[in-house]
PDB file of all heavy atoms in Angstrom:
ATOM      1  N   LEU B  53      19.063  -6.430   7.743  1.00  0.00           N
ATOM      2  CA  LEU B  53      20.017  -6.456   8.844  1.00  0.00           C
ATOM      3  C   LEU B  53      19.304  -6.536  10.185  1.00  0.00           C
ATOM      4  O   LEU B  53      19.762  -7.209  11.112  1.00  0.00           O
ATOM      5  CB  LEU B  53      20.912  -5.213   8.797  1.00  0.00           C
ATOM      6  CG  LEU B  53      21.935  -5.198   7.660  1.00  0.00           C
ATOM      7  CD1 LEU B  53      22.522  -3.799   7.485  1.00  0.00           C
ATOM      8  CD2 LEU B  53      23.045  -6.206   7.925  1.00  0.00           C
ATOM      9  N   ALA B  54      18.187  -5.838  10.283  1.00  0.00           N
ATOM     10  CA  ALA B  54      17.425  -5.865  11.523  1.00  0.00           C
ATOM     11  C   ALA B  54      16.879  -7.270  11.763  1.00  0.00           C
ATOM     12  O   ALA B  54      16.890  -7.788  12.877  1.00  0.00           O
ATOM     13  CB  ALA B  54      16.285  -4.854  11.470  1.00  0.00           C
ATOM     14  N   GLU B  55      16.433  -7.879  10.681  1.00  0.00           N
ATOM     15  CA  GLU B  55      15.844  -9.210  10.787  1.00  0.00           C
ATOM     16  C   GLU B  55      16.889 -10.243  11.204  1.00  0.00           C
ATOM     17  O   GLU B  55      16.603 -11.158  11.963  1.00  0.00           O
ATOM     18  CB  GLU B  55      15.240  -9.600   9.443  1.00  0.00           C
ATOM     19  CG  GLU B  55      14.128 -10.614   9.553  1.00  0.00           C
ATOM     20  CD  GLU B  55      13.085 -10.377   8.453  1.00  0.00           C
ATOM     21  OE1 GLU B  55      12.826  -9.190   8.147  1.00  0.00           O
ATOM     22  OE2 GLU B  55      12.561 -11.349   7.918  1.00  0.00           O
ATOM     23  N   SER B  56      18.086 -10.067  10.682  1.00  0.00           N
ATOM     24  CA  SER B  56      19.142 -11.026  11.016  1.00  0.00           C
ATOM     25  C   SER B  56      19.799 -10.678  12.344  1.00  0.00           C
ATOM     26  O   SER B  56      20.698 -11.358  12.796  1.00  0.00           O
ATOM     27  CB  SER B  56      20.184 -11.049   9.901  1.00  0.00           C
ATOM     28  OG  SER B  56      20.872  -9.828   9.853  1.00  0.00           O
ATOM     29  N   GLY B  57      19.335  -9.604  12.974  1.00  0.00           N
ATOM     30  CA  GLY B  57      19.858  -9.266  14.288  1.00  0.00           C
ATOM     31  C   GLY B  57      21.154  -8.473  14.282  1.00  0.00           C
ATOM     32  O   GLY B  57      21.760  -8.259  15.326  1.00  0.00           O
ATOM     33  N   ASP B  58      21.588  -8.024  13.117  1.00  0.00           N
ATOM     34  CA  ASP B  58      22.832  -7.268  13.051  1.00  0.00           C
ATOM     35  C   ASP B  58      22.656  -5.800  13.421  1.00  0.00           C
ATOM     36  O   ASP B  58      23.620  -5.111  13.727  1.00  0.00           O
ATOM     37  CB  ASP B  58      23.440  -7.366  11.649  1.00  0.00           C
ATOM     38  CG  ASP B  58      23.879  -8.796  11.340  1.00  0.00           C
ATOM     39  OD1 ASP B  58      24.391  -9.460  12.259  1.00  0.00           O
ATOM     40  OD2 ASP B  58      23.682  -9.235  10.194  1.00  0.00           O
ATOM     41  N   VAL B  59      21.416  -5.330  13.338  1.00  0.00           N
ATOM     42  CA  VAL B  59      21.164  -3.963  13.778  1.00  0.00           C
ATOM     43  C   VAL B  59      19.951  -3.949  14.696  1.00  0.00           C
ATOM     44  O   VAL B  59      19.083  -4.812  14.615  1.00  0.00           O
ATOM     45  CB  VAL B  59      20.910  -2.980  12.607  1.00  0.00           C
ATOM     46  CG1 VAL B  59      22.021  -3.026  11.591  1.00  0.00           C
ATOM     47  CG2 VAL B  59      19.575  -3.264  11.960  1.00  0.00           C
ATOM     48  N   ASP B  60      19.948  -2.969  15.593  1.00  0.00           N
ATOM     49  CA  ASP B  60      18.799  -2.765  16.459  1.00  0.00           C
ATOM     50  C   ASP B  60      17.855  -1.823  15.738  1.00  0.00           C
ATOM     51  O   ASP B  60      18.300  -0.897  15.061  1.00  0.00           O
ATOM     52  CB  ASP B  60      19.214  -2.048  17.753  1.00  0.00           C
ATOM     53  CG  ASP B  60      20.008  -2.953  18.673  1.00  0.00           C
ATOM     54  OD1 ASP B  60      19.698  -4.154  18.708  1.00  0.00           O
ATOM     55  OD2 ASP B  60      20.927  -2.451  19.343  1.00  0.00           O
ATOM     56  N   ALA B  61      16.569  -2.041  15.874  1.00  0.00           N
ATOM     57  CA  ALA B  61      15.583  -1.145  15.283  1.00  0.00           C
ATOM     58  C   ALA B  61      14.604  -0.747  16.372  1.00  0.00           C
ATOM     59  O   ALA B  61      14.097  -1.606  17.080  1.00  0.00           O
ATOM     60  CB  ALA B  61      14.849  -1.847  14.147  1.00  0.00           C
ATOM     61  N   VAL B  62      14.375   0.546  16.491  1.00  0.00           N
ATOM     62  CA  VAL B  62      13.381   1.011  17.453  1.00  0.00           C
ATOM     63  C   VAL B  62      12.415   1.937  16.738  1.00  0.00           C
ATOM     64  O   VAL B  62      12.787   2.628  15.801  1.00  0.00           O
ATOM     65  CB  VAL B  62      14.020   1.754  18.650  1.00  0.00           C
ATOM     66  CG1 VAL B  62      15.104   0.914  19.269  1.00  0.00           C
ATOM     67  CG2 VAL B  62      14.571   3.093  18.220  1.00  0.00           C
ATOM     68  N   VAL B  63      11.167   1.905  17.167  1.00  0.00           N
ATOM     69  CA  VAL B  63      10.150   2.753  16.560  1.00  0.00           C
ATOM     70  C   VAL B  63       9.879   3.928  17.485  1.00  0.00           C
ATOM     71  O   VAL B  63       9.587   3.734  18.654  1.00  0.00           O
ATOM     72  CB  VAL B  63       8.841   1.967  16.343  1.00  0.00           C
ATOM     73  CG1 VAL B  63       7.790   2.852  15.704  1.00  0.00           C
ATOM     74  CG2 VAL B  63       9.109   0.751  15.491  1.00  0.00           C
ATOM     75  N   THR B  64      10.003   5.139  16.963  1.00  0.00           N
ATOM     76  CA  THR B  64       9.770   6.319  17.799  1.00  0.00           C
ATOM     77  C   THR B  64       8.279   6.573  17.965  1.00  0.00           C
ATOM     78  O   THR B  64       7.458   5.943  17.307  1.00  0.00           O
ATOM     79  CB  THR B  64      10.372   7.579  17.166  1.00  0.00           C
ATOM     80  OG1 THR B  64       9.634   7.888  15.973  1.00  0.00           O
ATOM     81  CG2 THR B  64      11.819   7.356  16.798  1.00  0.00           C
ATOM     82  N   ASP B  65       7.961   7.526  18.826  1.00  0.00           N
ATOM     83  CA  ASP B  65       6.562   7.872  19.062  1.00  0.00           C
ATOM     84  C   ASP B  65       5.889   8.339  17.784  1.00  0.00           C
ATOM     85  O   ASP B  65       4.687   8.184  17.620  1.00  0.00           O
ATOM     86  CB  ASP B  65       6.456   8.980  20.116  1.00  0.00           C
ATOM     87  CG  ASP B  65       6.814   8.449  21.495  1.00  0.00           C
ATOM     88  OD1 ASP B  65       7.050   7.226  21.612  1.00  0.00           O
ATOM     89  OD2 ASP B  65       6.869   9.246  22.432  1.00  0.00           O
ATOM     90  N   SER B  66       6.649   8.928  16.892  1.00  0.00           N
ATOM     91  CA  SER B  66       6.047   9.449  15.669  1.00  0.00           C
ATOM     92  C   SER B  66       5.972   8.387  14.579  1.00  0.00           C
ATOM     93  O   SER B  66       5.557   8.657  13.470  1.00  0.00           O
ATOM     94  CB  SER B  66       6.828  10.651  15.163  1.00  0.00           C
ATOM     95  OG  SER B  66       8.110  10.246  14.728  1.00  0.00           O
ATOM     96  N   GLY B  67       6.384   7.163  14.906  1.00  0.00           N
ATOM     97  CA  GLY B  67       6.258   6.076  13.949  1.00  0.00           C
ATOM     98  C   GLY B  67       7.463   5.869  13.044  1.00  0.00           C
ATOM     99  O   GLY B  67       7.461   4.974  12.203  1.00  0.00           O
ATOM    100  N   GLU B  68       8.491   6.663  13.229  1.00  0.00           N
ATOM    101  CA  GLU B  68       9.714   6.470  12.450  1.00  0.00           C
ATOM    102  C   GLU B  68      10.508   5.311  13.039  1.00  0.00           C
ATOM    103  O   GLU B  68      10.514   5.114  14.245  1.00  0.00           O
ATOM    104  CB  GLU B  68      10.595   7.717  12.560  1.00  0.00           C
ATOM    105  CG  GLU B  68      10.544   8.656  11.404  1.00  0.00           C
ATOM    106  CD  GLU B  68      11.636   9.705  11.539  1.00  0.00           C
ATOM    107  OE1 GLU B  68      12.039  10.009  12.680  1.00  0.00           O
ATOM    108  OE2 GLU B  68      12.066  10.207  10.513  1.00  0.00           O
ATOM    109  N   THR B  69      11.186   4.593  12.173  1.00  0.00           N
ATOM    110  CA  THR B  69      12.016   3.503  12.662  1.00  0.00           C
ATOM    111  C   THR B  69      13.468   3.948  12.636  1.00  0.00           C
ATOM    112  O   THR B  69      13.942   4.452  11.618  1.00  0.00           O
ATOM    113  CB  THR B  69      11.843   2.261  11.784  1.00  0.00           C
ATOM    114  OG1 THR B  69      10.467   1.930  11.718  1.00  0.00           O
ATOM    115  CG2 THR B  69      12.595   1.080  12.370  1.00  0.00           C
ATOM    116  N   LEU B  70      14.154   3.781  13.748  1.00  0.00           N
ATOM    117  CA  LEU B  70      15.562   4.158  13.833  1.00  0.00           C
ATOM    118  C   LEU B  70      16.411   2.898  13.887  1.00  0.00           C
ATOM    119  O   LEU B  70      16.035   1.905  14.518  1.00  0.00           O
ATOM    120  CB  LEU B  70      15.809   4.991  15.093  1.00  0.00           C
ATOM    121  CG  LEU B  70      14.923   6.234  15.265  1.00  0.00           C
ATOM    122  CD1 LEU B  70      15.316   6.980  16.528  1.00  0.00           C
ATOM    123  CD2 LEU B  70      15.028   7.134  14.056  1.00  0.00           C
ATOM    124  N   TYR B  71      17.563   2.951  13.228  1.00  0.00           N
ATOM    125  CA  TYR B  71      18.441   1.787  13.178  1.00  0.00           C
ATOM    126  C   TYR B  71      19.814   2.116  13.743  1.00  0.00           C
ATOM    127  O   TYR B  71      20.305   3.216  13.609  1.00  0.00           O
ATOM    128  CB  TYR B  71      18.608   1.335  11.733  1.00  0.00           C
ATOM    129  CG  TYR B  71      17.326   0.939  11.056  1.00  0.00           C
ATOM    130  CD1 TYR B  71      16.567   1.877  10.370  1.00  0.00           C
ATOM    131  CD2 TYR B  71      16.860  -0.376  11.116  1.00  0.00           C
ATOM    132  CE1 TYR B  71      15.394   1.520   9.747  1.00  0.00           C
ATOM    133  CE2 TYR B  71      15.685  -0.734  10.500  1.00  0.00           C
ATOM    134  CZ  TYR B  71      14.947   0.217   9.807  1.00  0.00           C
ATOM    135  OH  TYR B  71      13.773  -0.136   9.193  1.00  0.00           O
ATOM    136  N   ARG B  72      20.438   1.132  14.328  1.00  0.00           N
ATOM    137  CA  ARG B  72      21.798   1.286  14.824  1.00  0.00           C
ATOM    138  C   ARG B  72      22.509  -0.042  14.764  1.00  0.00           C
ATOM    139  O   ARG B  72      21.925  -1.083  15.060  1.00  0.00           O
ATOM    140  CB  ARG B  72      21.796   1.781  16.263  1.00  0.00           C
ATOM    141  CG  ARG B  72      23.158   2.259  16.701  1.00  0.00           C
ATOM    142  CD  ARG B  72      23.221   2.482  18.183  1.00  0.00           C
ATOM    143  NE  ARG B  72      23.148   1.206  18.898  1.00  0.00           N
ATOM    144  CZ  ARG B  72      23.609   1.047  20.134  1.00  0.00           C
ATOM    145  NH1 ARG B  72      24.141   2.061  20.775  1.00  0.00           N
ATOM    146  NH2 ARG B  72      23.511  -0.112  20.721  1.00  0.00           N
ATOM    147  N   LEU B  73      23.772   0.008  14.405  1.00  0.00           N
ATOM    148  CA  LEU B  73      24.553  -1.214  14.345  1.00  0.00           C
ATOM    149  C   LEU B  73      24.600  -1.854  15.725  1.00  0.00           C
ATOM    150  O   LEU B  73      24.712  -1.176  16.729  1.00  0.00           O
ATOM    151  CB  LEU B  73      25.980  -0.900  13.881  1.00  0.00           C
ATOM    152  CG  LEU B  73      26.828  -2.112  13.532  1.00  0.00           C
ATOM    153  CD1 LEU B  73      26.204  -2.866  12.368  1.00  0.00           C
ATOM    154  CD2 LEU B  73      28.244  -1.683  13.201  1.00  0.00           C
ATOM    155  N   CYS B  74      24.511  -3.167  15.737  1.00  0.00           N
ATOM    156  CA  CYS B  74      24.508  -3.903  16.998  1.00  0.00           C
ATOM    157  C   CYS B  74      25.705  -4.832  16.964  1.00  0.00           C
ATOM    158  O   CYS B  74      25.853  -5.620  16.033  1.00  0.00           O
ATOM    159  CB  CYS B  74      23.206  -4.695  17.089  1.00  0.00           C
ATOM    160  SG  CYS B  74      23.046  -5.725  18.529  1.00  0.00           S
ATOM    161  N   GLU B  75      26.585  -4.711  17.949  1.00  0.00           N
ATOM    162  CA  GLU B  75      27.777  -5.565  17.943  1.00  0.00           C
ATOM    163  C   GLU B  75      27.352  -7.025  17.927  1.00  0.00           C
ATOM    164  O   GLU B  75      26.492  -7.433  18.684  1.00  0.00           O
ATOM    165  CB  GLU B  75      28.635  -5.312  19.188  1.00  0.00           C
ATOM    166  CG  GLU B  75      28.919  -3.852  19.468  1.00  0.00           C
ATOM    167  CD  GLU B  75      29.454  -3.121  18.242  1.00  0.00           C
ATOM    168  OE1 GLU B  75      30.264  -3.724  17.526  1.00  0.00           O
ATOM    169  OE2 GLU B  75      29.035  -1.982  17.991  1.00  0.00           O
ATOM    170  N   ALA B  76      28.007  -7.781  17.074  1.00  0.00           N
ATOM    171  CA  ALA B  76      27.664  -9.206  16.971  1.00  0.00           C
ATOM    172  C   ALA B  76      27.953  -9.914  18.286  1.00  0.00           C
ATOM    173  O   ALA B  76      28.899  -9.603  18.987  1.00  0.00           O
ATOM    174  CB  ALA B  76      28.464  -9.841  15.849  1.00  0.00           C
ATOM    175  N   GLY B  77      27.108 -10.831  18.616  1.00  0.00           N
ATOM    176  CA  GLY B  77      27.343 -11.652  19.803  1.00  0.00           C
ATOM    177  C   GLY B  77      27.098 -10.953  21.123  1.00  0.00           C
ATOM    178  O   GLY B  77      27.360 -11.511  22.183  1.00  0.00           O
ATOM    179  N   GLU B  78      26.577  -9.755  21.040  1.00  0.00           N
ATOM    180  CA  GLU B  78      26.317  -9.056  22.281  1.00  0.00           C
ATOM    181  C   GLU B  78      25.099  -9.652  22.979  1.00  0.00           C
ATOM    182  O   GLU B  78      24.188 -10.143  22.327  1.00  0.00           O
ATOM    183  CB  GLU B  78      26.047  -7.582  21.982  1.00  0.00           C
ATOM    184  CG  GLU B  78      26.921  -6.646  22.793  1.00  0.00           C
ATOM    185  CD  GLU B  78      26.625  -5.217  22.406  1.00  0.00           C
ATOM    186  OE1 GLU B  78      26.533  -4.925  21.202  1.00  0.00           O
ATOM    187  OE2 GLU B  78      26.471  -4.408  23.315  1.00  0.00           O
ATOM    188  N   VAL B  79      25.100  -9.559  24.274  1.00  0.00           N
ATOM    189  CA  VAL B  79      23.935 -10.047  24.987  1.00  0.00           C
ATOM    190  C   VAL B  79      22.833  -9.013  24.857  1.00  0.00           C
ATOM    191  O   VAL B  79      23.084  -7.851  24.548  1.00  0.00           O
ATOM    192  CB  VAL B  79      24.235 -10.270  26.493  1.00  0.00           C
ATOM    193  CG1 VAL B  79      25.243 -11.376  26.641  1.00  0.00           C
ATOM    194  CG2 VAL B  79      24.707  -8.999  27.134  1.00  0.00           C
ATOM    195  N   HIS B  80      21.626  -9.453  25.092  1.00  0.00           N
ATOM    196  CA  HIS B  80      20.485  -8.559  24.966  1.00  0.00           C
ATOM    197  C   HIS B  80      20.616  -7.403  25.960  1.00  0.00           C
ATOM    198  O   HIS B  80      20.950  -7.596  27.103  1.00  0.00           O
ATOM    199  CB  HIS B  80      19.204  -9.337  25.251  1.00  0.00           C
ATOM    200  CG  HIS B  80      17.984  -8.536  25.008  1.00  0.00           C
ATOM    201  ND1 HIS B  80      17.539  -8.255  23.746  1.00  0.00           N
ATOM    202  CD2 HIS B  80      17.142  -7.918  25.856  1.00  0.00           C
ATOM    203  CE1 HIS B  80      16.454  -7.509  23.832  1.00  0.00           C
ATOM    204  NE2 HIS B  80      16.189  -7.290  25.101  1.00  0.00           N
ATOM    205  N   HIS B  81      20.350  -6.203  25.460  1.00  0.00           N
ATOM    206  CA  HIS B  81      20.453  -5.052  26.346  1.00  0.00           C
ATOM    207  C   HIS B  81      19.465  -3.984  25.871  1.00  0.00           C
ATOM    208  O   HIS B  81      18.756  -4.184  24.895  1.00  0.00           O
ATOM    209  CB  HIS B  81      21.872  -4.500  26.341  1.00  0.00           C
ATOM    210  CG  HIS B  81      22.300  -4.038  24.992  1.00  0.00           C
ATOM    211  ND1 HIS B  81      22.996  -4.841  24.127  1.00  0.00           N
ATOM    212  CD2 HIS B  81      22.093  -2.879  24.332  1.00  0.00           C
ATOM    213  CE1 HIS B  81      23.205  -4.180  23.002  1.00  0.00           C
ATOM    214  NE2 HIS B  81      22.661  -2.983  23.091  1.00  0.00           N
ATOM    215  N   HIS B  82      19.455  -2.867  26.546  1.00  0.00           N
ATOM    216  CA  HIS B  82      18.517  -1.816  26.176  1.00  0.00           C
ATOM    217  C   HIS B  82      19.253  -0.512  25.972  1.00  0.00           C
ATOM    218  O   HIS B  82      20.456  -0.442  26.168  1.00  0.00           O
ATOM    219  CB  HIS B  82      17.441  -1.713  27.251  1.00  0.00           C
ATOM    220  CG  HIS B  82      16.739  -3.011  27.461  1.00  0.00           C
ATOM    221  ND1 HIS B  82      15.775  -3.471  26.620  1.00  0.00           N
ATOM    222  CD2 HIS B  82      16.926  -3.985  28.380  1.00  0.00           C
ATOM    223  CE1 HIS B  82      15.377  -4.659  27.020  1.00  0.00           C
ATOM    224  NE2 HIS B  82      16.064  -4.998  28.089  1.00  0.00           N
ATOM    225  N   HIS B  83      18.501   0.521  25.611  1.00  0.00           N
ATOM    226  CA  HIS B  83      19.134   1.780  25.264  1.00  0.00           C
ATOM    227  C   HIS B  83      18.607   2.965  26.042  1.00  0.00           C
ATOM    228  O   HIS B  83      17.440   3.018  26.402  1.00  0.00           O
ATOM    229  CB  HIS B  83      18.973   2.037  23.771  1.00  0.00           C
ATOM    230  CG  HIS B  83      19.426   0.887  22.934  1.00  0.00           C
ATOM    231  ND1 HIS B  83      20.740   0.513  22.855  1.00  0.00           N
ATOM    232  CD2 HIS B  83      18.739  -0.007  22.198  1.00  0.00           C
ATOM    233  CE1 HIS B  83      20.838  -0.555  22.092  1.00  0.00           C
ATOM    234  NE2 HIS B  83      19.627  -0.901  21.674  1.00  0.00           N
ATOM    235  N   LEU B  84      19.503   3.877  26.266  1.00  0.00           N
ATOM    236  CA  LEU B  84      19.154   5.150  26.887  1.00  0.00           C
ATOM    237  C   LEU B  84      19.524   6.187  25.836  1.00  0.00           C
ATOM    238  O   LEU B  84      20.685   6.332  25.496  1.00  0.00           O
ATOM    239  CB  LEU B  84      19.983   5.350  28.161  1.00  0.00           C
ATOM    240  CG  LEU B  84      19.941   6.743  28.801  1.00  0.00           C
ATOM    241  CD1 LEU B  84      18.522   7.165  29.127  1.00  0.00           C
ATOM    242  CD2 LEU B  84      20.779   6.750  30.083  1.00  0.00           C
ATOM    243  N   ARG B  85      18.512   6.844  25.306  1.00  0.00           N
ATOM    244  CA  ARG B  85      18.749   7.723  24.167  1.00  0.00           C
ATOM    245  C   ARG B  85      18.435   9.174  24.495  1.00  0.00           C
ATOM    246  O   ARG B  85      17.467   9.465  25.186  1.00  0.00           O
ATOM    247  CB  ARG B  85      17.879   7.249  22.993  1.00  0.00           C
ATOM    248  CG  ARG B  85      18.283   7.759  21.638  1.00  0.00           C
ATOM    249  CD  ARG B  85      17.798   6.813  20.537  1.00  0.00           C
ATOM    250  NE  ARG B  85      16.417   6.369  20.779  1.00  0.00           N
ATOM    251  CZ  ARG B  85      15.361   7.137  20.525  1.00  0.00           C
ATOM    252  NH1 ARG B  85      15.521   8.318  20.017  1.00  0.00           N
ATOM    253  NH2 ARG B  85      14.154   6.677  20.777  1.00  0.00           N
TER     254      ARG B  85
END
Side-chain angles (χ1 to χ4, degrees):
Chain B
L53 288 166
E55 205 147 323
S56 67
D58 294 322
V59 306
D60 288 324
V62 308
V63 180
T64 68
D65 289 355
S66 67
E68 259 190 333
T69 305
L70 306 182
Y71 300 90
R72 193 192 69 157
L73 191 62
C74 177
E75 311 309 320
E78 233 178 315
V79 295
H80 186 75
H81 61 266
H82 303 282
H83 308 292
L84 169 57
R85 198 155 43 78

